[in-house]
Amino acid sequence: MRPGDDSGRSAWLRRFDALPEKARLAVVALVGALIGLATYQLIYWINPLQPRAPTSWFAAFVIGVPRQYSLHRSLTFRSDVPYAPHLARAYVLYSCIAIVTTSLNWLLVERLAVPHHLAWLACISTTGAINLFALKRLVFGQRADGDRV
């Protein structure tokens, strides 16, 4: 399905598509963050590695990249960019974010004794802030015709 082609899309998706791009970005980010929290919690629960919180954050982050990429590709940006090459771009961006946020998580939990759920919140917020400025520009360089910003 091409961006802007509403044939076959449900009514709620057409309403969602009518939202400004920044609103779609926020909704998709929130949904992804909630799924990511569940993923993080499960990994944290079964993770035998130390330091536990940073390694759990990193594993959940890596698992979440293709999910978030797909959600943003289809819902936020309604993009028809080629899937694999742009997923590779997403991995480059997210790899940089993973290094920054895993280091932040380690600092908060291991050095400053911040509870791991608060550290998770700080890291997901940092990820969101970086994505707000970089995701569209670096990963989804194209935009659907007629899109509202």
Side-chain angles (χ1 to χ4, degrees):
M1 179 179 342
R2 300 208 28 95
D5 178 10
D6 287 341
S7 62
R9 286 179 77 85
S10 65
W12 78 267
L13 274 174
R14 287 193 302 274
R15 283 192 299 275
F16 184 78
D17 286 345
L19 293 172
E21 185 177 271
K22 287 186 174 139
R24 292 192 314 263
L25 178 71
V27 170
V28 169
L30 179 62
V31 168
L34 292 173
I35 296 168
L37 177 58
T39 304
Y40 169 79
Q41 195 60 48
L42 177 64
I43 291 170
Y44 186 85
W45 182 57
I46 64 173
N47 185 2
L49 302 175
Q50 294 298 327
R52 191 172 181 193
T55 57
S56 299
W57 165 261
F58 183 77
F61 192 94
V62 170
I63 290 168
V65 169
R67 178 197 63 241
Q68 280 307 108
Y69 171 78
S70 296
L71 287 171
H72 282 304
R73 183 178 187 269
S74 62
L75 297 175
T76 302
F77 302 114
R78 298 180 301 152
S79 179
D80 63 352
V81 297
Y83 188 85
H86 287 264
L87 178 59
R89 282 177 155 184
Y91 266 106
V92 170
L93 172 64
Y94 283 125
S95 294
C96 295
I97 295 170
I99 291 167
V100 169
T101 57
T102 301
S103 299
L104 175 62
N105 190 286
W106 177 83
L107 174 69
L108 292 173
V109 174
E110 298 299 317
R111 291 291 179 217
L112 301 177
V114 172
H116 74 98
H117 284 110
L118 289 179
W120 178 90
L121 184 60
C123 290
I124 202 71
S125 298
T126 301
T127 299
I130 294 170
N131 279 341
L132 179 64
F133 297 105
L135 191 63
K136 180 177 171 184
R137 182 174 302 137
L138 300 177
V139 177
F140 296 101
Q142 301 171 342
R143 180 161 35 149
D145 292 334
D147 196 9
R148 294 172 36 203
V149 175

